[in-house]
Amino acid sequence: MPSIKDIMQTMEYGPAPESNAEVKAWLSARSAGIGHFIDGRFTSAAGDLIDVVNPATEDVIGRVAKGTADDVDAAVAAARAAFHEWSALPGHERAKYLYAIARHIQKRERFFSVLETMDNGKTIRETRDIDIPLVARHFYHHAGWAELVADAFPQHRPVGVCGQIIPWNFPLLMLAWKVAPALAAGNTVVLKPADLTPMTAHAFAELLVEIGLPAGVVNIVQGDGETGAAIAGHSDVDKVAFTGSTDVGRLIRRQIAGSGKKLSLELGGKSPFIVLEDADLDAAVEGVVDAIWFNQGEVCCAGSRLLVQEGVAPRFFDKLKARMATLRVGDPLDKTMDMGAVVSMKQLSRIKTLLKAGEEEGATLNLAPVALPEKGAFCTPGFFTDSHPANSVSQVEIFGPVAATLTFRTLDEAVALANDTRYGLAASLWSENVNRAIELAARVKAGVVWINATNMFDAAAPFGGYRESGYGREGGRAGMLEYLTTGWDKQGKVRAASAAPIDVAPATGKADRTAIDVTAKLYIGGKQARPDGGQSYTVYGKAGAAIGEAGLANRKDVRNAVEAANKATAWGGVTAHNRAQVLYFLAENLDQRRDEFVAALAATGTVAKPEEEFEAAIRRCFWYAAQADKFDGAVTATKSQHVTMTVNEPFGTIGVVAPDEAPLLALLSLILPAITMGNRVVAVASQAHPLIAARLYQVFETSDIPAGVVNLLTGERDVLAKTLAEHDDVAALWYCGSEDGSRMVEVASAGNLKPVWSDLGRLRDWLDPRFGQGQEYLRRASQVKTIWLPYGE
Ligand code: NDP
């Protein structure tokens, strides 16, 4: 045994194992198999059981049931039965339960930490210091929301039964992120843990029994992807919340299209970690440790692309190699280990395949000089140099402890590289110059940005992605809204199928030329444009008389309009005050043509009160002008020495598809909130009454709306909507049309995972400000960016 003097000379770590005796006893008492937790009771483990393996030892530590469709049915039925009473409880009563969960997690902190480590392979240092304390924090925070929900979210109600599917990388933490807000808002839950890591969810269910949570409020169905699909697709599930791979996120999007289920997706990432030449390099090196070697790199927001300014890159990489050499990888229950095992041998082989591909593409793999244990799913940490932006290792989520690196010269180059990914989950920025850091924070497309920090999480800080990293937020006020609804947008009667024909041949019969005859063109990039296909279609008015022609836009016109919209990026950067001025000016110009619009609305033959619709349109311009500089983000106290800003950012280009009713008001009601928040719009006007669009673009032309900010198309609604839904450069889509069309656009949107707001073919009373305008529109027109800043001592 080495003497203290020897130890002081070598400074070698001795073994520091955490005891797992209690957890082993707990596991052994459940060795017959773990079943589901349905309606407050544990089912016995029947049928085919799934082995649960400790990836650090390769020992089977238990077996879990694989939930069948019948199990899912039973769990959903229990959640539905519990919903009425649970949602009717005063917030204060729900708060008491959430508080009890938080307290009991704290009391069992060590037990959960050890169990999580044995189930997942991550180190006890992380489960003990990060995962489990954050779980408790999450339940405390949401005990607060339960208390406040009625005051903080008036007119909102819980969504109903929530199906929640979570991954294996932070098993109990992901459970907390899902369950806590759902319960706080008054929902009930059916949750499926990943089959690789089911244990802490089961222990959590036991804790729920301990605290006396009413039966059926939380149900846990164990199982694999098939079980997950059965939950997501269940007809009595009102909301699906998923965290996992982008591929499965896409499957779920398609699976539940047209069902009206609320959906939040927290998916993959390839997040940039940007080191500017004026960064504190030593601090940034420590940042990398937390960015890519934390949790074995199995982190959706891992800093997996290190972008380093050229002048400091060699020095930075040298420092990184030196730091990497001190990393300790091994028994995750040893308190001195920096890294444990990855989640499974399968995941290890997946990581190795990706690393091999990187080397074959010419990148150099720098690995830490560590001796790995002979047994277990251990992976050597490292980073690539000589990697290029197009290399697979720079693009594909490795989900292991290896980062790609790239260098850049200018800030513009850094931004271009950072955004050169289909994802947009997080970014970590390192600079001692606050101006440069904040400029970068604004320009990087990511839902979470850490300045001189990385991988920081807090229950009050919304977390979630841009682009193919998904949509919806977890945590804070934005996270609560994912579990609440006003329901107004799906309450109307189902619209009759559109009878508006697309007649491209000359109209037969005598046209009603007493009405104003207009040939509507398209409006693209600030110019009136003839339709690419050279076709127009006949527009019918009162008593079915032909009253004019409108351009029949095709896919090429949609692409041209999107291209024009994507060039008009400056709009997102102008001040909210400027945008408000433009909207006021629009109202002014519209008002000058009041008689003409009222006559055109009357000529459609469907607008009962044209004056009223016109007046509402003017008011709507004023309302959004008023909101432009008032729909604000927030500053939240999260962790010590930090402050967290949530900023409402525009998506970019939003596609909007207007219904046939209220042809002026509905179209404006969709365009205005989108441009108020700084988006550009490609709008499809009413198919049946498109002539209003022609008058409207003439007003846009005179209202200081920059070219490309609003583009207007006319033609066959669902043909154009499908092209918009499929277009990768359209960032979000609002669709008003038929039930079939709603399903179609939701399926088609899965490509780039754009958020879709479809009305399921429901009529909306556009004249009523409760439905035709509101904060819901502004929320749908923006995505929350959460920026963490160093603040205070
Ligand atoms: P998955 O996306 O397959 O798993 C996430 C969860 O979804 C698990 O509970 C899984 O069940 C479940 N699931 C799988 N298929 C379906 C389905 N069709 N419908 C509903 N639920 C389903 O991730 P993997 O475990 O396969 O990991 C693959 C890769 O995904 C990783 O290497 C990583 O790149 C990425 N990933 C990203 C995560 C993130 O947080 N963003 C988390 C995990 C993985 P089960 O596991 O039991 O089969």
Side-chain angles (χ1 to χ4, degrees), residues 192-421:
K192 189 197 85 67
D195 61 355
L196 289 171
T197 54
M199 292 301 181
T200 43
H202 183 72
F204 178 79
E206 293 184 356
L207 183 145
L208 295 182
V209 174
E210 184 178 55
I211 66 127
L213 189 77
V217 171
V218 172
N219 304 274
I220 291 175
V221 183
Q222 302 285 0
D224 60 10
E226 265 181 54
T227 317
I231 294 173
H234 197 287
S235 58
D236 206 22
V237 163
D238 303 300
K239 143 110 198 165
V240 177
F242 171 78
T243 299
S245 60
T246 294
D247 287 345
V248 174
R250 258 192 207 102
L251 283 178
I252 292 177
R253 170 62 291 179
R254 293 195 182 104
Q255 182 191 9
I256 67 169
S259 65
K261 288 178 189 170
K262 204 166 165 151
L263 174 64
S264 51
L265 297 172
E266 201 268 273
L267 310 174
K270 193 74 187 175
S271 299
F273 181 105
I274 307 178
V275 183
L276 299 187
E277 61 196 359
D278 57 16
D280 173 342
L281 293 191
D282 293 314
V285 164
E286 284 313 308
V288 174
V289 175
D290 290 338
I292 190 66
W293 298 321
F294 163 60
N295 206 40
Q296 298 70 242
E298 296 167 318
V299 183
C300 50
C301 51
S304 52
R305 285 186 301 144
L306 310 183
L307 314 182
V308 188
Q309 199 152 13
E310 219 169 73
V312 294
R315 203 147 54 90
F316 185 74
F317 294 147
D318 284 347
K319 280 176 181 283
L320 205 52
K321 279 181 199 158
R323 178 64 178 89
M324 193 165 74
T326 68
L327 290 177
R328 290 168 55 77
V329 185
D331 177 7
L333 279 173
D334 184 326
K335 284 172 266 191
T336 67
M337 288 300 160
D338 296 307
M339 272 181 48
V342 300
V343 75
S344 65
M345 297 306 281
K346 187 169 161 211
Q347 181 66 8
L348 182 63
S349 103
R350 190 179 167 273
I351 295 169
K352 285 185 172 165
T353 306
L354 288 167
L355 299 187
K356 191 156 165 265
E359 286 187 293
E360 282 166 7
E361 284 173 333
T364 309
L365 182 56
N366 308 274
L367 290 175
V370 291
L372 299 181
E374 277 172 17
K375 214 170 163 206
F378 291 93
C379 185
T380 310
F383 64 96
F384 279 104
T385 43
D386 312 314
S387 35
H388 296 284
N391 286 164
S392 57
V393 288
S394 307
Q395 293 292 336
V396 178
E397 186 174 42
I398 296 175
F399 231 62
V402 179
T405 60
L406 299 167
T407 59
F408 63 88
R409 288 189 182 163
T410 63
L411 219 56
D412 285 348
E413 246 178 68
V415 172
L417 284 175
N419 292 337
D420 178 26
T421 166

Side-chain angles (χ1 to χ4, degrees), residues 32 34 41 67 89 98 101 130 170 215 254 599 622 692 759 781 783:
I34 282 175
R41 285 185 293 274
L89 277 185
L98 287 160
I101 297 174
I130 298 171
F170 293 90
R254 293 195 182 104
F622 265 63
I692 299 295
D759 70 357
Q783 44 193 349

Side-chain angles (χ1 to χ4, degrees), residues 591-614:
D591 201 35
Q592 287 184 6
R593 299 174 68 162
R594 174 181 290 261
D595 294 345
E596 182 190 329
F597 270 97
V598 169
L601 284 170
T604 62
T606 57
V607 178
K609 297 175 185 161
E611 291 86 3
E612 213 178 306
E613 175 165 341
F614 185 80

